[in-house]
Amino acid sequence: MRSLEPSLFSPYENAFLPAETLSSYAFSLCGGPCAGLFRIENGEMLKGLVRCCINASIPYRVLGGMTNILVSDEGYDGVILLNRKGSVSHTIGEEGSILLKADSGAGMAAAVRYCIENEISGLEWAAGLPGTVGGAVCGNAGAFGSDIAKIFFRGEILDEKGTLQTIQKADMNFDYRSSSLKHQQNKHVLCNAVFRLEKGQKEQILAEGEANKEKRKSTQPVDRHSLGSVFKNPEGESAGKLIQAAGLKGFSIGKAEVSMIHANFITTQKGVKSADYHNLVIHVQKTVYEQFGILLEPEIEMLGFGVK
Ligand SMILES: Cc1cc2nc3c(=O)[nH]c(=O)nc-3n(C[C@H](O)[C@H](O)[C@H](O)COP(=O)(O)OP(=O)(O)OC[C@H]3O[C@@H](n4cnc5c(N)ncnc54)[C@H](O)[C@@H]3O)c2cc1C
């Protein structure tokens, strides 16, 4: 792991946390060390630190809730910008539509709450979705037939030179659990996003959100640690059904286990190693391939495991 002088990050040097262990921050409970970490407080700090890293040629990654990324036990030899704070606001757009603006560090839960309080409809599908706005846009998160691509209007990103740019939906190349942000492997950092939503009725928005949360509770291991769906659904198939049919429900390696509630979830316990999780991913892939000839493609991101 490289050793970094805090003064490289002026004026944020006092917030520098050297050699942090990522398992303390990851929802999977695993992940090795990083060269340094900052807990981002606001958009200015995010921009400032991205620019510091670019200017000093230090590798960096912006992470949100860490609910969709598995970092290896060897960790990440660079700076982690942990972006978990931000605000949400709205304005009225053309033809009465509502433009919801959220900082990338805002939690999706906070955005959903804001919509309920302000009678804004269009984000009900995201009730119960963990993580931040930045992570959701990057992975084009979706549920119950909707996704970020359907509501994204525009956003601001920092490009690889640290220049702030406005991007439109067409620039995002949204696809199934993917976007241009994902393809560019964090070279572009989302600062904020604007979603086009509409006026709704509080009771209805609340009821739909609650119903979606209940559906999650009855079909997913929501009270356990996990990274959500591990594999993408192959065309016309369900990854969970294939894994279940392969007899893998309950199969475990170390402290990582294929969930008994939903076979496309791997749940983890305190003390789990990233290698346990990773080896289980490979075992599931291999078993499903041997039995059904279908190669499952990971939906989660894996950082620091070499060739995937
Ligand atoms: C119980 C559970 C249920 C889940 N259900 C769903 C579901 O229904 N649908 C779904 O799609 N996902 C689901 N997930 C997965 C995950 O919650 C989502 O993908 C979420 O949007 C990830 O957000 P995050 O902030 O945790 O991202 P992280 O895991 O922190 O990061 C994911 C990626 O986004 C990038 N990123 C984060 N912020 C930025 C930024 N500001 N700029 C550029 N790149 C950025 C990171 O670099 C990384 O590449 C679930 C996970 C769990 C644990």
Side-chain angles (χ1 to χ4, degrees):
M1 239 2 89
R2 71 189 72 208
S3 157
L4 295 166
E5 270 303 311
S7 59
L8 286 167
F9 306 103
S10 172
Y12 300 106
E13 60 268 50
N14 291 339
F16 182 63
L17 300 169
E20 283 289 279
T21 302
L22 292 170
S23 57
S24 325
Y25 299 95
F27 198 61
S28 62
L29 302 174
C30 50
C34 60
L37 183 142
F38 286 94
R39 292 186 195 148
I40 301 296
E41 295 294 333
N42 52 51
E44 282 317 300
M45 185 175 179
L46 176 66
K47 286 180 233 167
L49 284 167
V50 167
R51 287 175 179 141
C52 284
C53 291
I54 292 172
N55 292 340
S57 300
I58 301 166
Y60 66 95
R61 292 295 306 243
V62 177
L63 297 180
M66 293 188 77
T67 63
N68 204 32
I69 187 164
L70 181 73
V71 183
S72 73
D73 296 315
E74 286 69 43
Y76 178 67
D77 189 14
V79 172
I80 297 291
L81 304 174
L82 203 65
N83 187 31
R84 293 181 174 175
K85 283 193 180 165
S87 59
V88 184
S89 60
H90 77 278
T91 52
I92 308 297
E94 284 163 24
E95 293 160 14
S97 68
I98 293 188
L99 300 179
L100 186 89
K101 184 173 180 183
D103 291 330
S104 58
M108 281 302 285
V112 170
R113 267 197 312 276
Y114 183 95
C115 285
I116 295 168
E117 280 155 21
N118 292 280
E119 303 202 275
I120 300 168
S121 174
L123 213 55
E124 293 86 334
W125 60 270
L129 178 77
T132 61
V133 167
V137 172
C138 176
N140 186 21
F144 307 116
S146 206
D147 60 16
I148 290 288
K150 289 209 172 113
I151 56 168
F152 189 89
F153 183 52
R154 63 167 180 260
E156 280 186 312
I157 56 148
L158 279 183
D159 68 14
E160 53 271 54
K161 293 187 178 131
T163 309
L164 195 63
Q165 289 188 22
T166 299
I167 41 146
Q168 308 296 333
K169 181 174 176 171
D171 303 317
M172 291 298 294
N173 296 323
F174 284 120
D175 204 347
Y176 176 41
R177 299 294 171 267
S178 137
S179 72
S180 56
L181 291 178
K182 193 141 217 173
H183 297 144
Q184 280 145 348
Q185 285 291 326
N186 224 50
K187 284 201 184 85
H188 287 182
V189 170
L190 187 79
C191 297
N192 56 60
V194 176
F195 301 136
R196 198 207 292 260
L197 303 172
E198 56 192 35
K199 185 83 190 140
Q201 285 189 326
K202 193 170 189 168
E203 300 308 314
Q204 229 172 321
I205 299 163
L206 192 59
E208 202 178 318
E210 286 305 314
N212 288 338
K213 276 196 200 167
E214 283 306 315
K215 274 187 230 160
R216 282 180 184 276
K217 273 192 203 156
S218 60
T219 55
Q220 298 175 3
V222 291
D223 54 350
R224 303 284 303 274
H225 285 271
S226 77
L227 291 173
S229 295
V230 179
F231 297 101
K232 292 183 181 178
N233 288 321
E235 190 83 46
E237 295 278 0
S238 150
K241 284 192 183 143
L242 289 167
I243 300 166
Q244 183 171 347
L248 288 166
K249 264 190 167 179
F251 185 86
S252 64
I253 296 182
K255 291 188 173 173
E257 178 183 311
V258 176
S259 168
M260 289 300 291
I261 297 172
H262 191 316
N264 198 19
F265 279 60
I266 288 178
T267 59
T268 56
Q269 291 178 51
K270 204 162 180 268
V272 64
K273 293 277 158 220
S274 300
D276 297 338
Y277 194 115
H278 189 242
N279 288 335
L280 191 49
V281 167
I282 290 169
H283 180 78
V284 170
Q285 250 178 338
K286 190 167 169 279
T287 309
V288 168
Y289 186 74
E290 281 167 2
Q291 292 199 24
F292 306 110
I294 296 173
L295 185 64
L296 294 175
E297 186 192 337
E299 178 174 320
I300 59 161
E301 191 177 335
M302 293 187 266
L303 181 64
F305 291 92
V307 181
K308 281 173 225 159

